[in-house]
Coordinates of all heavy atoms in Angstrom, one line a residue:
G26 N -44.7 47.9 271.2 CA -45.3 47.0 272.1 C -46.5 46.4 271.5 O -47.1 47.0 270.6
H53 N -79.6 36.5 269.6 CA -79.6 35.5 268.5 C -79.4 34.1 269.2 O -80.0 33.2 268.7 CB -78.4 35.7 267.6 CG -78.7 36.8 266.5 ND1 -79.6 36.6 265.5 CD2 -78.3 38.1 266.4 CE1 -79.7 37.7 264.7 NE2 -78.9 38.6 265.3
D81 N -37.0 63.0 291.9 CA -36.7 64.2 292.6 C -36.9 64.1 294.1 O -36.8 65.1 294.8 CB -37.5 65.4 292.0 CG -39.0 65.3 292.2 OD1 -39.4 64.3 292.9 OD2 -39.7 66.1 291.7
I84 N -43.0 62.1 296.5 CA -43.8 60.8 296.5 C -45.1 61.1 295.7 O -45.8 62.0 296.0 CB -44.1 60.3 297.9 CG1 -42.8 59.8 298.5 CG2 -45.1 59.1 297.8 CD1 -42.9 59.3 299.9
G99 N -60.7 29.3 281.6 CA -59.3 29.1 282.1 C -58.8 30.3 282.8 O -59.5 31.3 283.0
D108 N -51.3 54.6 280.7 CA -51.8 55.7 279.9 C -52.6 56.6 280.9 O -53.2 56.1 281.8 CB -52.7 55.2 278.8 CG -53.1 56.3 277.8 OD1 -52.2 56.8 277.1 OD2 -54.3 56.7 277.8
E115 N -63.1 51.6 281.1 CA -62.3 51.2 279.9 C -61.7 49.8 280.2 O -61.7 48.9 279.4 CB -61.2 52.2 279.6 CG -60.4 51.8 278.4 CD -59.2 52.7 278.1 OE1 -58.2 52.6 278.8 OE2 -59.3 53.5 277.1
M123 N -61.3 40.7 275.9 CA -60.4 39.5 275.9 C -61.0 38.2 276.1 O -60.6 37.2 275.5 CB -59.3 39.8 277.1 CG -58.3 40.8 276.7 SD -57.4 40.5 275.2 CE -56.5 38.9 275.6
I141 N -52.5 51.3 284.6 CA -52.1 52.3 285.6 C -52.3 53.6 285.0 O -51.8 53.9 283.8 CB -50.6 52.1 286.1 CG1 -50.3 50.7 286.6 CG2 -50.2 53.2 287.1 CD1 -48.9 50.4 287.0
G198 N -40.2 33.3 295.5 CA -39.0 32.6 295.9 C -38.5 31.7 294.8 O -37.8 30.7 295.1
R224 N -49.5 38.3 260.9 CA -49.6 37.0 260.2 C -51.1 36.5 260.3 O -51.6 36.0 259.3 CB -48.6 36.0 260.9 CG -48.5 34.8 260.1 CD -47.4 33.8 260.7 NE -47.5 32.6 260.0 CZ -46.9 32.4 258.8 NH1 -46.0 33.2 258.4 NH2 -47.0 31.3 258.2
Q249 N -54.1 50.6 256.3 CA -53.9 51.8 257.1 C -53.1 51.5 258.3 O -53.4 50.5 259.1 CB -55.3 52.3 257.5 CG -55.1 53.6 258.3 CD -56.4 54.1 259.0 OE1 -57.1 53.3 259.6 NE2 -56.8 55.3 258.8
L262 N -48.9 39.5 252.9 CA -49.9 39.4 251.8 C -49.3 39.7 250.4 O -49.6 39.0 249.4 CB -51.1 40.4 252.0 CG -52.1 39.8 253.1 CD1 -52.9 40.9 253.7 CD2 -53.0 38.8 252.5
I269 N -50.3 45.6 246.9 CA -50.7 46.6 248.0 C -50.6 48.0 247.3 O -49.4 48.5 247.1 CB -49.7 46.5 249.2 CG1 -49.5 45.0 249.6 CG2 -50.3 47.3 250.3 CD1 -50.7 44.3 250.1
N295 N -37.7 51.8 258.7 CA -36.7 51.4 259.7 C -35.5 52.4 259.8 O -34.9 52.6 260.8 CB -36.2 50.0 259.5 CG -37.3 49.0 259.8 OD1 -38.4 49.4 260.3 ND2 -37.1 47.8 259.4
D311 N -53.9 62.1 250.7 CA -54.5 62.4 252.0 C -54.7 61.1 252.8 O -55.2 60.1 252.2 CB -55.8 63.1 251.8 CG -56.3 63.6 253.1 OD1 -56.0 64.7 253.5 OD2 -57.1 62.8 253.7
L316 N -58.9 55.0 252.9 CA -60.0 54.1 253.3 C -61.0 53.9 252.2 O -61.7 52.9 252.2 CB -60.7 54.7 254.5 CG -59.8 54.9 255.8 CD1 -60.6 55.7 256.8 CD2 -59.5 53.5 256.3
I324 N -57.5 47.0 254.9 CA -57.0 46.6 256.2 C -56.7 47.7 257.1 O -55.7 48.4 257.1 CB -55.8 45.7 256.0 CG1 -56.1 44.5 255.1 CG2 -55.2 45.2 257.4 CD1 -54.9 43.6 254.8
P325 N -57.7 48.1 258.0 CA -57.4 49.1 259.0 C -56.5 48.5 260.1 O -56.9 47.6 260.8 CB -58.8 49.6 259.5 CG -59.7 48.4 259.2 CD -59.0 47.6 258.1
K339 N -68.7 55.4 251.5 CA -67.8 55.7 250.4 C -66.8 54.5 250.2 O -66.0 54.5 249.3 CB -67.0 57.0 250.6 CG -68.0 58.2 250.6 CD -67.1 59.5 250.6 CE -67.9 60.5 251.4 NZ -67.1 61.0 252.6
A357 N -71.2 52.7 261.8 CA -70.6 52.4 260.5 C -70.9 50.9 260.2 O -71.1 50.6 259.0 CB -69.1 52.6 260.5
D358 N -71.0 50.1 261.2 CA -71.3 48.7 261.0 C -72.6 48.5 260.2 O -72.6 47.7 259.3 CB -71.6 48.0 262.4 CG -70.4 47.2 262.9 OD1 -69.4 47.1 262.2 OD2 -70.5 46.7 264.0
E385 N -46.5 31.1 274.0 CA -45.3 31.5 274.9 C -45.6 30.8 276.3 O -44.6 30.2 276.8 CB -45.3 33.0 275.0 CG -44.2 33.5 276.0 CD -44.1 35.0 276.0 OE1 -44.4 35.7 275.0 OE2 -43.6 35.5 277.1
L391 N -43.9 24.1 279.6 CA -43.2 22.8 279.2 C -41.7 22.9 279.4 O -41.0 21.9 279.4 CB -43.4 22.6 277.6 CG -44.7 22.2 277.1 CD1 -44.7 22.2 275.6 CD2 -45.1 20.8 277.6
S419 N -72.0 32.6 260.8 CA -72.7 33.8 260.1 C -73.7 33.3 259.1 O -74.7 33.9 258.9 CB -71.6 34.7 259.5 OG -71.2 34.3 258.3
Y431 N -69.1 37.1 268.0 CA -69.6 37.2 269.3 C -70.5 36.0 269.7 O -70.4 35.5 270.8 CB -70.5 38.5 269.5 CG -69.6 39.7 269.9 CD1 -69.0 40.4 268.9 CD2 -69.4 40.0 271.2 CE1 -68.2 41.5 269.2 CE2 -68.6 41.1 271.5 CZ -68.0 41.9 270.5 OH -67.2 42.9 270.8
A434 N -68.2 33.1 270.5 CA -67.5 33.3 271.8 C -68.5 33.1 273.0 O -68.2 32.4 273.9 CB -66.9 34.7 271.8

Side-chain angles (χ1 to χ4, degrees):
H53 280 285
D81 65 4
I84 292 177
D108 188 70
E115 183 183 75
M123 283 306 293
I141 303 178
R224 194 175 171 88
Q249 184 191 46
L262 281 159
I269 316 294
N295 292 349
D311 186 90
L316 298 169
I324 303 180
K339 296 186 214 120
D358 258 358
E385 177 176 335
L391 288 171
S419 83
Y431 274 84

